[in-house]
Amino acid sequence: MLKFFLPAAGFLLLTLAIILYSLAYTVSETEQVIITQFGKPVGEPVRDAGLHFKLPFIQEIHRIDKRILAWDGQPNEMPTKDKTYIVVDTFARWRIEDPKQYFLRLRDERSAQSRLDDILGSETRNAIAKHELIEVIRTTKDREPARDATLVETPGNIGVLYPIKKGRAAIEQSIYTKAAAKLADFGIELLDVRFKRINYNESVRQRIYERMISERQQIAERFRSEGAGEAAKILGKKERDLLEIESNAYKQVQEIRGEADAAATQIYAEAYNQSEESVAFYAFIKTMETYQQILDRDSTLILTTDSDIFRFLKDIEPERK
C-alpha cells in the first residue's frame, strides 16, 4: 500500500506546484503586466507591485517596462531651408503610458524603437527643412552674441550674426509637439526631444573652413594696411623732425660763423688800422690771397686799368733777360 502511496503523493505535489506556479505571478516596481487569454488582452493592466493571480494554463502574462526609456536616433544628413546640408543627431526620452494600447499596436520595445525612428526622424527632417541653419544652431533669439574685438570695426558682414525668429529650443519643441500626438496612438508618452549634435556635411565643412580662412586673411590684410599707414606716418614724422633739426643746426652754424667772421673782421680792422702803412699792407695781403685763389698757370683775366685787382699787377716790372 505504501509502495503506491508515495509515488501518488509525489505526483500530486508536483501537480499542485505546477498549478500554483501558473496561477501566481509577481510584479516588480519597474514593470506593469498585461494578461492575455488565447492571445487577446483581458482585464486592465496590472500596475501595482506585489503578488497577483491569474487563471492557470489559459492565461499568460506579458511584462512591460514602466520606467523612462531612451531613444537615441542615428545621425542623419538633411538639408536646411537655405539648402545647407547638415548632419543631425537626435535623442529622446519616452515611457509607456497605456500598456494595453501599446501591447495591441506594438507588442514589444523593439517595435516601439522602430516606430520612434520613423516618427521622430520624419518630424526632425521636416522641422530642419522649414528653418535656416542659423535658426537650428542658435538657442534663443534674445541672446546677445559675443563678437571678437578684432572684428568690431571690420567692414562687411564678418563676425555678424543674423537675427533669428525662433531658435533651436522652439524647433525642438515643435518636433516634440507633433511627434507626441502621433505616438499617443501607440500608448507612448513622449517626454522630451533634443538635438544631441549638429554638424556640417563634409563638403560644406570644407567650404566653411575656407570662408573662415578668407575672413581671417581679410582681417590680417586690414591690420597690415593699418600698420603700413602707421609706419608711413612715423617715417614722415621722422623725416620732418630730421629736416627741422638740420635746419636749426644750419641756422646755428651760420649764426656762429657770422659772429666769428664779424669778430675776425673786427680783429683785422683793429690790427691793421693802426696807421696808413698797416692799412696798405692789409689791402696788399688780401689782394695776394685773392690772386692765389683765382689765378693759376692757365688763367686768363680781362681787367680794366682802374680795377682794384689790376692795381698791384700793373706795378710789376717785367723780368729782364
Side-chain angles (χ1 to χ4, degrees), residues 1-277:
M1 186 72 179
L2 184 61
K3 184 184 297 185
F4 293 102
F5 177 75
L6 290 176
F11 178 75
L12 181 61
L13 290 175
L14 180 61
T15 303
L16 289 175
I18 293 174
I19 292 173
L20 288 175
Y21 179 78
S22 63
L23 177 67
Y25 64 93
T26 59
V27 179
S28 71
E29 296 288 346
T30 62
E31 62 184 9
Q32 47 198 341
V33 170
I34 294 291
I35 299 176
T36 61
Q37 184 172 319
F38 303 114
K40 295 182 179 181
V42 293
E44 295 298 322
V46 180
R47 300 175 183 269
D48 299 328
L51 181 64
H52 298 271
F53 298 93
K54 64 179 179 62
L55 294 177
F57 305 115
I58 63 174
Q59 289 185 341
E60 295 181 1
I61 63 171
H62 301 271
R63 302 180 186 275
I64 298 175
D65 204 328
K66 66 177 181 181
R67 294 173 294 183
I68 295 176
L69 303 174
W71 173 82
D72 193 357
Q74 293 294 325
N76 291 318
E77 183 177 311
M78 55 192 71
T80 62
K81 185 178 180 181
D82 50 352
K83 306 303 179 185
T84 300
Y85 280 85
I86 57 177
V87 178
V88 181
D89 192 358
T90 313
F91 73 94
R93 295 293 180 265
W94 60 285
R95 66 184 174 190
I96 302 169
E97 179 65 21
D98 188 346
K100 189 173 183 179
Q101 182 72 8
Y102 172 85
F103 180 78
L104 290 173
R105 299 292 300 273
L106 300 173
R107 290 284 177 173
D108 54 25
E109 187 176 337
R110 180 179 179 182
S111 300
Q113 290 285 356
S114 177
R115 186 62 60 182
L116 285 165
D117 288 341
D118 295 338
I119 294 176
L120 290 176
S122 175
E123 293 300 331
T124 300
R125 187 177 297 276
N126 291 338
I128 295 297
K130 293 178 181 178
H131 299 87
E132 296 185 358
L133 177 63
I134 189 68
E135 299 275 354
V136 181
I137 298 300
R138 290 178 57 185
T139 304
T140 58
K141 61 182 180 180
D142 298 326
R143 181 176 68 88
E144 186 67 24
R147 193 177 180 191
D148 193 337
T150 60
L151 306 178
V152 173
E153 298 180 356
T154 303
N157 296 324
I158 298 178
V160 177
L161 292 180
Y162 295 98
I164 63 175
K165 297 179 181 179
K166 289 187 177 181
R168 185 175 66 192
I171 296 175
E172 291 172 338
Q173 183 62 33
S174 68
I175 296 173
Y176 165 80
T177 302
K178 294 180 180 179
K182 295 180 179 180
L183 291 171
D185 295 338
F186 299 93
I188 293 176
E189 180 187 5
L190 185 63
L191 301 176
D192 196 13
V193 179
R194 288 287 184 269
F195 295 140
K196 181 192 297 185
R197 184 177 183 183
I198 298 173
N199 208 344
Y200 288 111
N201 172 278
E202 185 61 32
S203 61
V204 176
R205 190 182 304 132
Q206 292 301 322
R207 292 200 300 269
I208 295 298
Y209 290 157
E210 291 173 0
R211 188 176 69 182
M212 292 171 63
I213 293 172
S214 176
E215 290 178 354
R216 289 296 169 177
Q217 287 177 344
Q218 292 181 35
I219 296 170
E221 288 298 329
R222 180 171 65 87
F223 286 158
R224 291 191 187 98
S225 177
E226 292 176 355
E230 290 298 324
K233 290 180 181 178
I234 294 172
L235 290 175
K237 185 176 182 300
K238 183 196 75 172
E239 295 294 334
R240 185 175 64 252
D241 292 344
L242 286 175
L243 291 175
E244 183 178 355
I245 292 171
E246 291 176 355
S247 176
N248 291 334
Y250 181 77
K251 178 181 178 182
Q252 293 178 2
V253 168
Q254 295 301 318
E255 289 176 353
I256 294 172
R257 183 174 292 173
E259 293 175 357
D261 290 342
T265 302
Q266 183 177 0
I267 293 172
Y268 281 130
E270 292 176 355
Y272 291 103
N273 202 21
Q274 300 295 325
S275 62
E276 292 182 0
E277 290 80 4

Side-chain angles (χ1 to χ4, degrees), residues 286-318:
K286 285 298 182 183
T287 303
M288 292 299 106
E289 291 177 356
T290 303
Y291 288 164
Q292 187 176 5
Q293 293 176 0
I294 65 175
L295 295 178
D296 57 22
R297 291 180 177 274
D298 299 325
S299 298
T300 302
L301 295 178
I302 300 176
L303 304 173
T304 62
T305 55
D306 56 351
S307 172
D308 290 335
I309 295 177
F310 186 68
R311 180 163 58 90
F312 291 101
L313 293 177
K314 65 183 178 180
D315 294 335
I316 299 175
E317 293 182 359

